[in-house]
Amino acid sequence: MPRNDQQIENYIAYLMAQAHRKLHLDLEKSLKSEGMQVEHWRILEILSERKGQIAGNLAKIVLMNPPALTKMIDRMVANGYVHRLVDNVDQRKVRIFITEHGYHLFLKLQNLADAQNNTVNNRFGNKKMEKLKTLLNQLILS
């Protein structure tokens, strides 16, 4: 027999999952206008600010498992958004780079992601958003 104080809504993991799901689905809806998924935006976002990423590191940063990332990168290469090059230092590794075409797509996707971020920020205000980011970063690093 469940206890009343143990309802699933009392667990931080459940609340975080619900919040993630809402934000993810809202962003996904926006990105579909460009025929993209949230993971495409994450990949292009990371590649736009860093000069090439080793595939394994990129998978960790964009929160994907390596096989799923590989399939997505294959499609992105086929569409001309990214390209692969063998790493200069370790020839067993492959670096992923954004193309000019991919960068132009990234700018469109970034505007959509920024709009979502601004909507959430406007709903809660700058102070609460900064506090939330601080708390989330503390949770992630603990």
Side-chain angles (χ1 to χ4, degrees):
M1 176 152 222
R3 298 186 329 231
N4 286 340
D5 63 341
Q6 293 301 312
Q7 291 177 341
I8 197 163
E9 293 85 4
N10 291 325
Y11 289 95
I12 191 70
Y14 179 77
L15 292 170
M16 297 287 290
Q18 268 193 314
H20 169 266
R21 182 174 173 82
K22 179 178 179 7
L23 291 172
H24 187 90
L25 290 175
D26 288 350
L27 184 55
E28 190 174 73
K29 208 180 293 181
S30 294
L31 297 178
K32 275 188 179 177
S33 69
E34 295 295 329
M36 296 289 115
Q37 298 172 351
V38 173
E39 293 78 12
H40 289 118
W41 164 70
R42 286 186 195 148
I43 291 166
L44 294 173
E45 175 80 35
I46 295 304
L47 295 178
S48 73
E49 60 191 39
R50 298 185 175 115
K51 300 295 181 194
Q53 282 291 307
I54 302 235
N57 293 342
L58 183 60
K60 288 177 189 171
I61 296 167
V62 299
L63 310 174
M64 292 180 72
N65 66 48
L69 176 75
T70 298
K71 288 179 185 177
M72 186 163 282
I73 293 296
D74 288 344
R75 289 190 300 270
M76 293 176 79
V77 167
N79 289 320
Y81 304 136
V82 299
H83 65 94
R84 294 179 172 107
L85 288 175
V86 175
D87 185 58
N88 290 336
V89 177
D90 186 344
Q91 307 247 326
R92 297 169 296 171
K93 296 180 180 179
V94 173
R95 286 193 175 272
I96 315 294
F97 293 85
I98 193 169
T99 63
E100 187 174 333
H101 180 56
Y103 189 76
H104 290 295
L105 173 62
F106 157 70
L107 293 175
K108 289 180 188 176
L109 301 182
Q110 183 184 41
N111 286 334
L112 296 171
D114 285 347
Q116 181 199 35
N117 207 53
N118 290 337
T119 297
V120 175
N121 196 52
N122 290 338
R123 187 177 306 147
F124 293 105
N126 289 336
K127 256 184 161 175
K128 285 184 180 178
M129 284 302 293
E130 287 308 313
K131 182 67 173 170
L132 178 59
K133 288 177 191 178
T134 299
L135 291 170
L136 290 172
N137 280 315
Q138 289 173 355
L139 181 62
I140 291 164
L141 298 174
S142 66

